[in-house]
Amino acid sequence: MDFSTALPTFVITLREGVEAALVVGIVLALLKKAKQSRLNSWVYAGIAVGIVVSAFIGVLFSWLIQILGAANPQYTSVVEPALEGVFSVLAIAMLSWMLIWMTKQARFMKATVEGAVTEALTQNSNAGWGVFTLILIAVVREGFETVLFVAANFQQGFMPALGAIGGLVAATAIGVLLFKWGVKINIRQFFQVMGVFLVLIVAGLVVSGLKHFDEAVANLALSSRATESLCFYYERFTRVHSCILGPMVSNTSTILPDEQFPGIILKSLFGYRDNLYLVQAVGYVTFLLTIGGLYFRSLGGAYPEGKKNIPFGQKPISSAKD
């Protein structure tokens, strides 16, 4: 069993799961403060339904891929990598947007959740449903991102899903440590480290997604015998090239093969390839410079000044403003 393919989804689910755990913990704390702990069951119901809905979306995507592949068996080798490429694009867009957006909105998370809970509690007859909806949206939002990532790598089998389960368990454990046992964790540093990992993972997904599209076009060219019209050729630059990704710019197969340790770990986590082509290299660097740059710039305003190094769960020193 190749457990290396479980690592990326573990990291993604851990980070997204902790975000959801923070929302859950804040809601439970607010309900306790408002002496409305009777609504806790609605919180737990929202968590359970959110996980089920996320899993159902994953099964639906897998079913869709199989149906599309079976519809035209002769084009299965084209449809599967093409769908993986499409899901890669969706996962890249969703994960990148959520990474930057959540970093910018971190300072407002508690206030936003508190406002939503307060509004729900003012509606006595529908308070439970209001809390349930808040938790459901938080869980499904984070779960959907993981589902997209798993769908973009569905050929790797059950291992990505196993990594997602492991990340969910770890995120739950962190939530319990924070809110049940009162353990002090510097949540800001945690998200910063996870954010860097996520930037590198999604950058690797850019490389993998381009490879999926290249494979789909190459297989389509072979099946339709239209190689010359669908694939570009680069004999003027190098004899070794891909269908649409251009000439090979690096070959480290003899030094660090991507099918052996530790190359296989780097491949699973960060999209490392021992054979890297021009378009992949350009896409990787472009992603790091744009999305990576936006992420690091967003870190500067993620937390209010004067409260940057306060571990989660620890109250700041009171001041006149507080």
Side-chain angles (χ1 to χ4, degrees):
M1 293 180 121
D2 182 12
F3 288 97
S4 63
T5 56
L7 292 176
T9 47
F10 173 82
V11 174
I12 290 174
T13 310
L14 175 61
R15 187 189 186 283
E16 307 303 327
V18 169
E19 287 182 3
L22 289 179
V23 175
V24 171
I26 292 171
V27 170
L28 290 174
L30 290 172
L31 290 177
K32 182 178 180 181
K33 184 178 179 180
K35 297 181 180 180
Q36 296 291 330
S37 296
R38 61 184 179 82
L39 298 177
N40 285 0
S41 58
W42 288 93
V43 175
Y44 302 134
I47 296 172
V49 174
I51 293 174
V52 170
V53 170
S54 298
F56 175 76
I57 294 173
V59 172
L60 186 63
F61 279 166
S62 299
W63 176 77
L64 176 64
I65 292 170
Q66 293 175 359
I67 291 296
L68 291 176
N72 295 286
Q74 68 273 26
Y75 289 113
T76 299
S77 61
V78 176
V79 172
E80 289 188 354
L83 286 175
E84 284 183 292
V86 170
F87 284 130
S88 294
V89 172
L90 293 175
I92 291 167
M94 190 76 173
L95 289 168
S96 300
W97 181 78
M98 284 303 298
L99 175 65
I100 297 172
W101 184 83
M102 280 303 299
T103 302
K104 290 183 177 180
Q105 298 298 317
R107 70 170 79 182
F108 308 115
M109 177 185 286
K110 185 175 180 180
T112 301
V113 175
E114 189 172 36
V117 173
T118 301
E119 183 180 354
L121 292 179
T122 58
Q123 302 173 357
N124 294 326
S125 59
N126 297 316
W129 284 109
V131 172
F132 172 83
T133 303
L134 174 64
I135 298 298
L136 176 64
I137 292 174
V139 174
V140 172
R141 184 185 64 194
E142 311 301 347
F144 183 65
E145 296 167 19
T146 305
V147 166
L148 281 178
F149 186 86
V150 173
N153 298 275
F154 75 96
Q155 284 185 338
Q156 295 178 352
F158 179 70
M159 281 298 118
L162 184 63
I165 294 172
L168 181 62
V169 171
T172 302
I174 291 176
V176 171
L177 289 175
L178 288 173
F179 294 100
K180 192 71 175 177
W181 293 349
V183 175
K184 302 297 186 288
I185 296 176
N186 194 317
I187 205 68
R188 176 177 181 266
Q189 291 183 356
F190 170 83
F191 278 123
Q192 285 183 346
V193 173
M194 289 294 102
V196 172
F197 268 105
L198 191 58
V199 167
L200 294 174
I201 288 173
V202 179
L205 191 58
V206 172
V207 175
S208 301
L210 289 171
K211 182 63 177 177
H212 293 321
F213 284 122
D214 178 71
E215 182 182 349
V217 175
N219 290 338
L220 180 61
L222 291 174
S223 61
S224 61
R225 297 181 181 179
T227 305
E228 294 184 2
S229 60
L230 293 176
C231 293
F232 299 98
Y233 287 93
Y234 304 88
E235 281 84 354
R236 294 183 180 180
F237 303 99
T238 177
R239 293 182 179 179
V240 182
H241 56 80
S242 72
C243 181
I244 62 173
L245 298 180
M248 183 183 296
V249 294
S250 70
N251 183 351
T252 55
S253 57
T254 58
I255 303 173
L256 189 63
D258 60 19
E259 296 299 331
Q260 299 178 16
F261 181 85
I264 193 171
I265 302 295
L266 297 176
K267 177 182 178 181
S268 298
L269 269 176
F270 308 127
Y272 165 77
R273 292 292 188 277
D274 51 20
N275 293 330
L276 187 67
Y277 295 90
L278 179 61
V279 176
Q280 289 176 307
V282 171
Y284 185 85
V285 173
T286 300
F287 179 87
L288 289 181
L289 291 177
T290 54
I291 302 301
L294 286 173
Y295 169 69
F296 283 109
R297 282 197 295 272
S298 69
L299 290 178
Y303 290 82
E305 191 66 30
K307 300 182 181 181
K308 292 183 179 181
N309 297 317
I310 299 170
F312 191 87
Q314 179 177 324
K315 295 181 179 179
I317 298 174
S318 60
S319 63
K321 294 182 179 180
D322 295 329

